[in-house]
């Protein structure tokens, strides 16, 4: 029997306007945005919908924003499948309910907190507040130094580590074979990207974090 896992996005997935179409189309989605604003005490929804990009990209806003929009999508998925199932026969409804169940949740970095909340480990408000504080502390660390990150794609781990050693940066994330994230001072990240390309990387992209 097949199993279903839900995967939630990490930081870097933010884009100005995210979630606005959902809030306009679904009343329940707007309710979640309103609840988020109330829980945090500021208009996070407006930053998601209108930016500007410089504000949304800030870690203290990007992390709770991505958490919020991911949660809205999760809730709408449950809601819309439920609406569709209600119009079916009893047998079809049972079948859809079985299909709706998920066996695991997971996420990339920030997405782990969304996954935990979706799995029932904490409430929506608690999850949102935790992510907001996480983003705030990380923003303070960002403001204390001129740092950055970059994705290295299409290069093996060994040559990626060589690039890091030569450029003076660190290997931060091992996402999967052939996809790594490096971290360090902004100028050194730029140098590392050039070195990675010279070693055969398909892409070396500074991340908007």
């Amino acid at each position: 029997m097949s199993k279903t896992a839900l995967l939630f996005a990490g930081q870097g997935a933010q884009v100005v306007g995210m979630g606005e179409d959902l809030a306009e189309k679904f009343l329940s989605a707007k309710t979640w945005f309103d609840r988020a604003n109330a829980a945090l005490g500021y208009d996070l929804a407006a930053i998601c919908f209108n930016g500007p990009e410089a504000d949304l990209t800030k870690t203290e806003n990007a992390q709770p924003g991505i958490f919020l929009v991911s949660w809205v999508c999760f809730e709408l998925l449950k809601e819309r499948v439920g609406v569709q199932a209600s119009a079916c026969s009893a047998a079809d409804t049972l079948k859809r309910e079985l299909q709706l169940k998920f066996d695991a949740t997971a996420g990339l970095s920030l997405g782990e907190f969304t996954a935990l909340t979706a799995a029932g480990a904490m409430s929506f408000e608690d999850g949102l507040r935790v992510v907001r504080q996480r983003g705030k502390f990380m923003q303070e660390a960002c403001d204390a130094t001129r740092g950055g990150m970059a994705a290295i794609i299409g290069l093996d781990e060994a040559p990626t580590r060589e690039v890091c050693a030569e450029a003076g940066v660190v290997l931060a994330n091992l996402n999967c074979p052939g996809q790594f994230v490096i971290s360090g001072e902004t100028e050194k990240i730029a140098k590392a990207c050039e070195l990675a390309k010279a070693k055969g990387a398909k892409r070396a992209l500074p991340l908007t974090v």
Side-chain angles (χ1 to χ4, degrees):
M1 183 177 178
S2 63
K3 294 185 177 182
T4 300
L6 303 181
L7 303 178
F8 295 94
Q11 190 170 350
Q14 70 275 358
V15 59
V16 173
M18 63 182 188
E20 184 174 17
D21 56 337
L22 300 177
E24 291 176 349
K25 186 175 182 179
F26 302 105
L27 179 60
S28 58
K30 183 180 183 305
T31 299
W32 285 112
F33 283 106
D34 291 342
R35 283 180 61 173
N37 290 346
L40 295 177
Y42 72 99
D43 199 342
L44 175 61
I47 297 175
C48 292
F49 299 165
N50 306 315
E53 185 176 1
D55 287 345
L56 180 59
T57 301
K58 289 181 179 178
T59 301
E60 61 185 302
N61 295 323
Q63 292 203 16
I66 293 169
F67 175 97
L68 172 57
V69 175
S70 297
W71 181 264
V72 169
C73 291
F74 169 64
E75 287 294 330
L76 286 177
L77 174 64
K78 295 192 297 182
E79 176 186 313
R80 301 309 294 175
V81 170
V83 168
Q84 292 171 351
S86 65
C88 301
S89 66
D92 288 340
T93 299
L94 176 59
K95 182 179 180 181
R96 284 185 178 273
E97 288 176 349
L98 291 173
Q99 291 175 338
L100 179 62
K101 291 181 179 179
F102 52 91
D103 302 280
T105 61
L108 175 61
S109 190
L110 156 68
E112 295 177 20
F113 292 88
T114 323
L116 284 167
T117 307
M122 50 187 159
S123 69
F124 165 72
E125 282 82 4
D126 284 347
L128 183 65
R129 292 189 187 101
V130 167
V131 169
R132 164 64 177 174
Q133 288 299 107
R134 180 180 189 264
K136 184 178 179 181
F137 296 147
M138 291 176 69
Q139 185 66 54
E140 292 174 358
C142 290
D143 292 341
T145 184
R146 287 175 49 80
M149 305 180 82
I152 307 299
I153 301 172
L155 195 64
D156 291 336
E157 181 178 344
T160 301
R161 290 189 180 277
E162 293 174 1
V163 166
C164 290
E166 188 173 346
V169 300
V170 298
L171 182 57
N173 297 336
L174 288 77
N175 290 341
C176 65
Q179 186 182 114
F180 307 102
V181 175
I182 60 175
S183 177
E185 296 177 16
T186 305
E187 294 80 4
K188 294 179 178 180
I189 288 293
K191 178 182 177 181
C193 286
E194 293 303 317
L195 290 171
K197 292 176 183 177
K199 285 184 177 290
K202 293 180 180 178
R203 304 181 75 183
L205 305 172
L207 300 177
T208 53
V209 296

